[in-house]
Amino acid sequence: MSRDIGHLLARATASAVRYRTNLDNAPARSLLDYHAMRERFAAPLPEAGSDPATILDELAALAEPGLMPTTGPRFFAWVMGASHPAGVAADLLVSAWGQNAGYQSTSPAAAAIEEVAESWLLDMLDLPRDSGIGFTTGATVANGTCLAAARTGTLRAVGWDPDEDGLFGAPPVHVLIGADAHSSLYSSLQLIGFGRKRVITIETDELGRMRPAALEAAISGLTGPKIVIAQAGQINTGAFDSFADIVAIGKAHDAWVHVDGAFGLWARATPSHKALTSGIELCDSWVTDGHKWLQAPYDCGFAIVRDKNILLGAMSQWASYLPAIAQGDRVPSNYVPELSRRARGIPVYALLRTFGRQGMAELIERHCRLTRLFATRLAAEAGIEVVAEPVINQLIVNFGTGDSAARKAQTEAVIARTVEDGTCYVAGASWRGDWVMRLSVTSVETTEADIDRSADAIIAAWRQVRAETRS
Ligand SMILES: *Cc1c(COP(=O)(O)O)cnc(C)c1O
């Protein structure tokens, strides 16, 4: 049984390289489904161990048909980044180095690298430079982390310390959230004890943007602590709340204003789209993902809090064996719910250097341009209904005619046919009572030629479905 790391890594690397370089020619979907994969892997626990080199080979052979080509050039479902090779390679170092990134004493390098990544992110996203960033597994946990800080901040302001005394008996905190917020926020609210239903839902417009007048009307009658949850980048339309208005209303009522910008916050890193976020810098906390537009390998998200002391209050832990902290030192674990964790700052550092400010702006602008191209091709050439003109990199289209059930069936059929064809991968969602195809252009691998090929495939699928519907 080999423990030769050179041999094992070389083998894993060769397999990974082969997988990644074949993606462009392979069907843009998994070949086997989840149930087939369960059957492939089902086996009793081995009594005796076996050679890891053989295990790696078998693992790759068994798993590959069930892998989603998320990192490929024509994967447009949900919102997925592509895991840039620079991030993947840096992440391999993270695994090999085996650092515990929780404390500066457990890894001086990881702590220092995360700190520089924190300041670069604040610079690139142009957020207040003395904000604190927790490096989390993704936007869901980052939303929970920021909302925990919001809970600490708003309750402390009225003389209650939720971190010491919990929520039982605390003054009620009002949570105001746009009607088209992402599902993950409800999961965060549930986790931190606020409850999914105990929110005031604010009406949104046709693009899913919170209506400031509706927020004003809802918040005006409220007394006590308040949290307003706004959004940069609606999951279907890519639209941005009107932050200047929302912040002005929030501040006038002493509310904590939080922003979920899992992908949309990156619009701020471009000269062309930054204006969509204007006023956002005045909010109290922001969330974005590393594993979406930044192309970091999973898992990676950022919980950004303006008043870092409030975040530290909500997240810090202490034990005798944890070293004392010198003034000005940054303890990575005090920004997130975990103590021991992966050094997520390292691939982030490598990617921010790989792109630079310009490269990141170019990537985002290119994706926005490619999304418009997608919309133009589908609409102009084939007359497919673009449900909302793309604001950034999200596009929703509808293929149906007739009543709502017929429309849904046709759009679902086009999605199924497109996936089956395998040129590109797409998925659907419900939007304003209709079923739509969602296209999210988020991969560093995607080129104009990929959009053309994919548009051709979607148009062909639609023509087939239309012909069948008529006959
Ligand atoms: C993806 C996404 C989330 C959830 O992020 P995870 O990284 O999957 O936890 C939250 N909000 C929005 C707008 C998203 O796009």
Side-chain angles (χ1 to χ4, degrees):
M1 272 188 254
S2 168
R3 273 200 292 120
D4 178 346
I5 192 160
H7 179 58
L8 294 177
L9 282 184
R11 221 155 164 128
T13 306
S15 165
V17 170
R18 190 180 30 75
Y19 172 73
R20 293 280 294 237
T21 46
N22 283 343
L23 270 185
D24 198 14
N25 303 316
R29 58 176 152 72
S30 68
L31 300 177
L32 295 179
D33 69 7
Y34 159 67
H35 295 104
M37 293 311 286
R38 278 213 314 211
E39 270 174 38
R40 289 196 132 204
F41 277 98
L45 171 69
E47 294 300 333
S50 47
D51 177 41
T54 313
I55 296 170
L56 278 177
D57 291 350
E58 286 177 8
L59 177 62
L62 281 173
E64 278 182 19
L67 297 180
M68 266 295 197
T70 324
T71 61
R74 292 179 303 282
F75 193 91
F76 304 112
W78 306 295
V79 189
M80 303 277 198
S83 288
H84 191 293
V88 175
D91 210 48
L92 196 136
L93 286 179
V94 170
S95 288
W97 287 341
Q99 300 295 287
N100 184 332
Y103 243 78
Q104 49 278 67
S105 49
T106 58
S107 179
I113 294 168
E114 185 173 298
E115 201 166 324
V116 80
E118 175 186 59
S119 82
W120 288 356
L121 283 168
L122 292 173
D123 192 343
M124 193 175 266
L125 296 170
D126 193 17
L127 293 173
R129 302 300 192 270
D130 52 359
S131 306
I133 303 187
F135 287 65
T136 67
T137 50
T140 303
V141 172
N143 274 319
T145 302
C146 285
L147 290 173
R151 179 181 66 183
T152 295
T154 53
L155 280 171
R156 273 199 201 155
V158 295
W160 183 275
D161 186 342
D163 300 309
E164 294 292 347
D165 300 319
L167 283 180
F168 298 104
V173 179
H174 303 288
V175 178
L176 301 99
I177 184 167
D180 291 299
H182 192 270
S183 55
S184 77
L185 279 158
Y186 294 91
S187 149
S188 305
L189 289 168
Q190 165 188 1
L191 187 70
I192 64 166
F194 280 173
R196 287 196 301 238
K197 268 167 62 183
R198 233 193 103 274
V199 294
I200 300 167
T201 305
I202 308 298
E203 189 196 329
T204 48
D205 67 10
E206 70 288 354
L207 290 179
R209 295 173 296 202
M210 211 192 293
R211 289 189 191 277
L215 177 64
E216 173 75 57
I219 206 170
S220 293
L222 302 176
T223 53
K226 302 164 202 83
I227 299 171
V228 175
I229 301 175
Q231 178 164 255
Q234 207 283 332
I235 195 88
N236 293 317
T237 64
F240 291 71
D241 282 348
S242 166
F243 299 106
D245 296 328
I246 288 169
V247 169
I249 296 165
K251 295 293 148 192
H253 295 274
D254 281 332
W256 177 293
V257 184
H258 170 71
V259 185
D260 176 16
F263 59 95
L265 196 60
W266 292 93
R268 215 166 154 70
T270 69
S272 55
H273 291 75
K274 189 174 181 185
L276 289 167
T277 68
S278 93
I280 209 171
E281 66 281 5
L282 301 170
C283 294
D284 298 290
S285 56
W286 309 264
V287 155
T288 197
D289 261 320
H291 55 221
K292 288 180 181 168
W293 236 341
L294 181 59
Q295 317 290 317
Y298 289 102
D299 39 28
C300 184
F302 310 115
I304 314 172
V305 178
R306 169 190 295 278
D307 186 338
K308 99 174 52 147
N309 287 322
I310 295 180
L311 175 60
L312 294 175
M315 294 292 139
S316 298
Q317 57 176 296
W318 187 85
S320 60
Y321 55 80
L322 296 175
I325 306 151
Q327 185 72 27
D329 283 3
R330 181 182 179 283
V331 179
S333 77
N334 286 352
Y335 290 72
V336 289
E338 307 102 324
L339 178 57
S340 300
R341 70 179 161 88
R342 183 171 189 78
R344 279 184 205 108
I346 293 177
V348 171
Y349 167 89
L351 285 167
L352 291 172
R353 278 190 65 178
T354 300
F355 287 118
R357 200 191 298 276
Q358 287 170 6
M360 200 58 208
E362 280 163 20
L363 175 72
I364 291 158
E365 286 175 344
R366 176 160 67 87
H367 285 159
C368 295
R369 188 163 40 75
L370 293 179
T371 309
R372 287 194 303 274
L373 174 66
F374 226 147
T376 307
R377 286 236 25 219
L378 296 179
E381 211 168 296
I384 291 164
E385 182 195 347
V386 170
V387 178
E389 282 302 323
V391 177
I392 45 171
N393 64 333
Q394 307 293 119
L395 169 64
I396 44 177
V397 291
N398 194 319
F399 301 89
T401 49
D403 67 15
S404 150
R407 288 167 69 81
K408 180 169 188 214
Q410 289 163 48
T411 296
E412 276 181 330
V414 178
I415 292 170
R417 180 116 1 173
T418 303
V419 168
E420 181 53 35
D421 163 72
T423 304
C424 63
Y425 196 91
V426 297
S430 162
W431 178 248
R432 300 296 185 248
D434 235 352
W435 198 252
V436 294
M437 178 191 281
R438 293 183 64 253
L439 297 158
S440 172
V441 183
T442 343
S443 160
V444 68
E445 305 294 338
T446 307
T447 63
E448 195 168 316
D450 290 311
I451 301 295
D452 276 330
R453 277 177 67 185
S454 303
D456 288 344
I458 294 169
I459 292 168
W462 177 60
R463 291 196 168 133
Q464 281 170 12
V465 169
R466 202 174 43 168
E468 283 162 19
T469 311
R470 282 176 184 163
S471 64

